[in-house]
Amino acid sequence: ETTKKIRVLLTNYLGSKGLSALHSIVIGMNNFDFPSNPASISDSEVSKFIVALTRAKNSCSLVTNRVFDRRTMRSVDRPSVFFSWLPQDKLDSKSFKATDFE
């Protein structure tokens, strides 16, 4: 039996510059996290988004999650405005709940 080792590198946007991978995963794709202000996106955030997207050779997964809104006292979706910048025919959306893994 041959065991193939999988190498996973965790890094931030800056640390990923100059790197490449077959697959990359970008977490935290929520408005008010990334970008910090969706009404006023900084050049730095645009650069980070481009760097994150261009690290992958085969696929790039962008992960958003529900967040707790203290004003409404509810869990809400706040996907990053950056999703709207991508060609919609290239996106494949999947949703999971924590209970899916019990």
Side-chain angles (χ1 to χ4, degrees):
E1 179 178 317
T2 304
T3 304
K4 191 174 184 178
K5 291 185 179 182
I6 297 173
R7 191 175 134 210
V8 176
L9 173 66
L10 301 176
T11 187
N12 60 19
Y13 299 102
L14 185 59
S16 70
K17 280 185 121 174
L19 299 178
S20 67
L22 292 177
H23 310 283
S24 66
I25 301 168
V26 181
I27 59 173
M29 294 290 300
N30 300 306
N31 280 335
F32 304 106
D33 291 325
F34 188 64
S36 59
N37 180 352
S40 180
I41 301 169
S42 71
D43 290 345
S44 172
E45 289 172 317
V46 172
S47 295
K48 288 176 183 178
F49 183 56
I50 292 168
V51 166
L53 287 177
T54 58
R55 298 308 90 193
K57 293 180 180 178
N58 291 349
S59 69
C60 180
S61 298
L62 306 175
V63 180
T64 185
N65 56 280
R66 292 179 65 85
V67 295
F68 187 74
D69 186 330
R70 292 182 181 175
R71 290 178 296 120
T72 62
M73 301 302 284
R74 292 181 179 211
S75 183
V76 297
D77 290 322
R78 282 199 322 223
S80 174
V81 68
F82 286 129
F83 284 106
S84 68
W85 292 19
L86 300 170
Q88 298 303 300
D89 64 321
K90 301 293 183 193
L91 299 179
D92 180 17
S93 177
K94 294 186 176 36
S95 297
F96 301 98
K97 294 181 180 178
T99 55
D100 291 343
F101 303 101
E102 291 179 346

